Amino acid sequence: MTHLSFSARSVPARCAPFAATLGVGLLLAGVPACAATIRSHPPVGQAGTGTTSGHDGKETPQTWALADCMSMVEEDPFGARDYAQDWMKHGGDREARHCHALALLELGDELDAAQELDDLVRKAPPSGPESSASLRAVMAEEAAEAWLSAGNPPGALSIVEYGLSIRPEDTNLRLAKARALLEQGNTGAVVTDLTALVARGADAPPEAFVLLASAERRLGQLDKATQHISLALQRMPDNAAALLERGIIREQVGDATGAQADWQHVLDLSPDSHEADLARQDLAVLAADPDSP
């Protein structure tokens, strides 16, 4: 069969968790999806305090805590935003701003979230819990996600490089760098960086194999891409992102039946995911191809 024609489109407004979003559909063959970066944060600081007015007009103590705010970010981002804003009005500083930025990211305000997170990383205090390299690496990854979602890969790459200057071997930052480089079309650099990362063998994160396979596919290195996506699926056989990517590779080597099976599997596994949307588009393009079986 003939290869399908591809047309790149923009990154989705909000990236979903990596376990569900790293594949690139036929209509997105040149654009990488990005990974969510709301992960466990090292403990920092103490809960903030303030006052609120009770029914009798008297002020009563009010407390705010990072854990409470973060717990709302994904399930109730509007609530998390309002909580963080109230906290900031009552003296909340970096912790409140951090939670506020992540709430904005969930709500689709990627640019403001990216700018806030970027500022938090670069302007950390010289000492104390907020200066820790591990926390700043987490926020750098979050900032990179936001910049990518806002359609600004140079911004993502800049903050990732800054994060790596603080924590050079941070695996999540290296994966974020690969996503930024892929979006800029620098597939050669991705292959170089991730080949070294996957050389760790059993210690290499499965996500690295998916990104590496995507880069190799774009370079026309389909044998290597097939090998690496197979390794990814050995570790996570029901991962929608990996299945989506394998479907693209299979289509490009002429295995339309295998591609269709992979994309249908994505729909069966996570019908409401971003990958499912891409799989539906891929299946529609495949069905429209007169040379497909």
Side-chain angles (χ1 to χ4, degrees), residues 62 64-65 69 72-73 76-104 107 109 112 116:
Q62 171 78 34
W64 290 268
C69 193
M72 289 189 285
V73 168
D76 182 14
F78 287 102
R81 181 200 61 188
D82 295 346
Y83 183 103
Q85 288 175 341
D86 194 33
W87 188 3
M88 287 188 285
K89 290 177 182 177
H90 291 85
D93 189 15
R94 291 178 58 86
E95 290 182 337
R97 291 173 58 199
H98 188 187
C99 187
H100 183 253
L102 294 184
L104 292 180
L107 292 170
D109 189 355
D112 285 343
E116 188 72 57

Side-chain angles (χ1 to χ4, degrees), residues 82-289:
D82 295 346
Y83 183 103
Q85 288 175 341
D86 194 33
W87 188 3
M88 287 188 285
K89 290 177 182 177
H90 291 85
D93 189 15
R94 291 178 58 86
E95 290 182 337
R97 291 173 58 199
H98 188 187
C99 187
H100 183 253
L102 294 184
L104 292 180
L105 187 56
E106 285 289 334
L107 292 170
D109 189 355
E110 296 92 352
L111 182 57
D112 285 343
Q115 291 171 338
E116 188 72 57
L117 289 164
D118 198 296
D119 189 65
L120 285 169
V121 176
R122 296 181 191 273
K123 297 180 181 178
S127 61
E130 286 282 352
S131 68
S132 75
S134 57
L135 176 62
R136 295 172 75 189
V138 168
M139 289 193 287
E141 186 193 358
E142 291 165 345
E145 175 194 349
W147 283 125
L148 286 173
S149 294
N152 188 337
L157 189 58
S158 175
I159 193 60
V160 165
E161 294 285 15
Y162 185 85
L164 286 170
S165 73
I166 300 167
R167 195 175 171 90
E169 297 304 317
D170 189 281
T171 298
N172 288 298
L173 284 176
R174 292 178 69 180
L175 294 175
K177 179 181 178 180
R179 290 191 291 276
L181 290 170
L182 273 178
E183 191 153 343
Q184 291 184 302
N186 196 348
T187 49
V190 174
V191 169
T192 299
D193 289 351
L194 294 188
T195 297
L197 187 56
V198 302
R200 295 180 181 177
D203 292 333
E207 298 92 333
F209 291 94
V210 181
L211 277 169
L212 179 56
S214 180
E216 289 167 337
R217 166 179 59 80
R218 298 172 201 213
L219 289 172
Q221 301 172 0
L222 297 180
D223 288 343
K224 290 183 178 179
T226 299
Q227 175 187 359
H228 287 126
I229 202 63
S230 297
L231 289 171
L233 284 163
Q234 285 176 17
R235 299 179 179 208
M236 44 183 191
D238 289 331
N239 180 266
L243 287 165
L244 184 66
E245 180 61 41
R246 187 174 69 177
I248 302 170
I249 296 168
R250 282 179 162 177
E251 189 282 326
Q252 291 196 3
V253 299
D255 181 8
T257 300
Q260 185 176 26
D262 279 339
W263 295 330
Q264 185 58 54
H265 195 183
V266 172
L267 297 182
D268 295 338
L269 284 172
S270 51
D272 298 325
S273 67
H274 175 60
E275 280 75 22
D277 292 340
L278 294 178
R280 289 187 187 96
Q281 294 174 25
D282 293 346
L283 287 168
V285 174
L286 194 64
D289 189 337

